[in-house]
Amino acid sequence: DVKVTQSSRYLVKRTGEKVFLECVQDMDHENMFWYRQDPGLGLRLIYFSYDVKMKEKGDIPEGYSVSREKKERFSLILESASTNQTSMYLCASSLGDRGFQGYTFGSGTRLTVV
Amino acid sequence: SQQGEEDPQALSIQEGENATMNCSYKTSINNLQWYRQNSGRGLVHLILIRSNEREKHSGRLRVTLDTSKKSSSLLITASRAADTASYFCATFTGTASKLTFGTGTRLQVTL
């Protein structure tokens, strides 16, 4: 079964901390994505990657960076966490020509910044 | 920016009834996808319909697409309590090379 694993279900971090959210997929998918989900705003794309060491900005990249050193792993980094980054973070992956296939999502990481 | 907008925002029905959710979008698309999210969990891909298709079925799900009206609908027949979830439409435009999600419809199915 296709699987996307996010390292933590819940995280609590302090303002100013550097935060790493990890995502691993076991399906040999080329494409990986990070979204954040907030009530009333739906899912918003932060960053995505179509290949190893490749990244592209999504709609709301400010305050975030990403790393994809290996095909199966896509990390989201909050350089200096702020309270407005409290949110549900969702990682997804897909095979082939980007949006032509459905995405497989992880279970999400609910991050609280205090 | 949101490409898709679902309607209604919330829907409450009884088990056995049909549930219909609508999605409107703004620009031309390559395909439209529907996803389901159980409370506090990740999204699960339900069905994909391409821009040259008008209707698609998968089990109790029926999706229609009207590109002239830039709209889609998801019909769940004979709803079950286990169908309680949020449902999202997502559009793929090709040029943008990424899925853009709507804000979702919360479906509550009661016994």
Side-chain angles (χ1 to χ4, degrees):
Chain A
D1 227 9
V2 162
K3 201 168 179 183
V4 175
T5 303
Q6 294 184 232
S7 54
S8 304
R9 286 280 288 132
Y10 299 95
L11 272 180
V12 180
K13 295 293 182 181
R14 294 194 180 278
T15 300
E17 275 193 76
K18 190 168 186 176
V19 181
F20 293 85
L21 302 183
E22 305 288 345
C23 176
V24 177
Q25 49 96 3
D26 63 2
M27 302 158 283
D28 202 33
H29 282 179
E30 292 88 357
N31 314 315
M32 297 189 75
F33 308 85
W34 275 106
Y35 287 84
R36 66 176 280 177
Q37 183 178 24
D38 300 287
L41 296 177
L43 277 76
R44 293 179 292 167
L45 183 63
I46 305 171
Y47 266 97
F48 55 109
S49 170
Y50 294 140
D51 203 351
V52 176
K53 296 190 186 293
M54 177 269 174
K55 60 186 178 185
E56 289 191 37
K57 293 180 180 179
D59 298 317
I60 52 163
E62 296 76 21
Y64 303 93
S65 63
V66 290
S67 172
R68 193 165 182 201
E69 295 295 319
K70 293 184 178 181
K71 189 176 185 179
E72 67 270 19
R73 186 180 296 269
F74 192 36
S75 303
L76 179 69
I77 303 155
L78 285 65
E79 297 292 341
S80 177
S82 64
T83 55
N84 63 13
Q85 291 178 312
T86 291
S87 187
M88 169 74 109
Y89 289 88
L90 293 164
C91 176
S93 72
S94 73
L95 179 67
D97 198 357
R98 306 177 183 184
F100 281 17
Q101 308 285 334
Y103 287 8
T104 301
F105 279 85
S107 296
T109 295
R110 189 166 293 280
L111 173 67
T112 302
V113 182
V114 298
Chain B
S1 61
Q2 299 299 327
Q3 162 77 314
E5 294 290 336
E6 287 92 341
D7 172 59
Q9 288 188 329
L11 180 61
S12 183
I13 60 173
Q14 291 194 316
E15 204 171 46
E17 293 180 338
N18 295 342
T20 300
M21 288 158 265
N22 302 298
C23 170
S24 60
Y25 56 92
K26 297 172 186 172
T27 62
S28 296
I29 60 171
N30 285 86
N31 68 63
L32 186 144
Q33 304 177 26
W34 285 91
Y35 288 79
R36 163 198 169 119
Q37 182 182 35
N38 287 78
S39 180
R41 309 297 293 185
L43 280 71
V44 175
H45 180 253
L46 295 176
I47 196 164
L48 181 154
I49 186 165
R50 303 189 190 282
S51 60
N52 60 355
E53 298 175 312
R54 291 296 166 258
E55 188 171 312
K56 207 161 182 181
H57 297 256
S58 177
R60 293 184 296 113
L61 305 180
R62 172 179 169 251
V63 170
T64 61
L65 179 64
D66 186 336
T67 53
S68 66
K69 294 181 179 178
K70 292 187 171 57
S71 68
S72 174
S73 68
L74 171 67
L75 168 68
I76 304 174
T77 59
S79 295
R80 305 165 181 168
D83 293 327
T84 294
S86 291
Y87 292 81
F88 294 84
C89 69
T91 54
F92 179 69
T93 60
T95 54
S97 299
K98 60 187 191 308
L99 278 181
T100 303
F101 286 81
T103 52
T105 292
R106 288 191 317 277
L107 173 66
Q108 176 77 42
V109 182
T110 56
L111 296 172

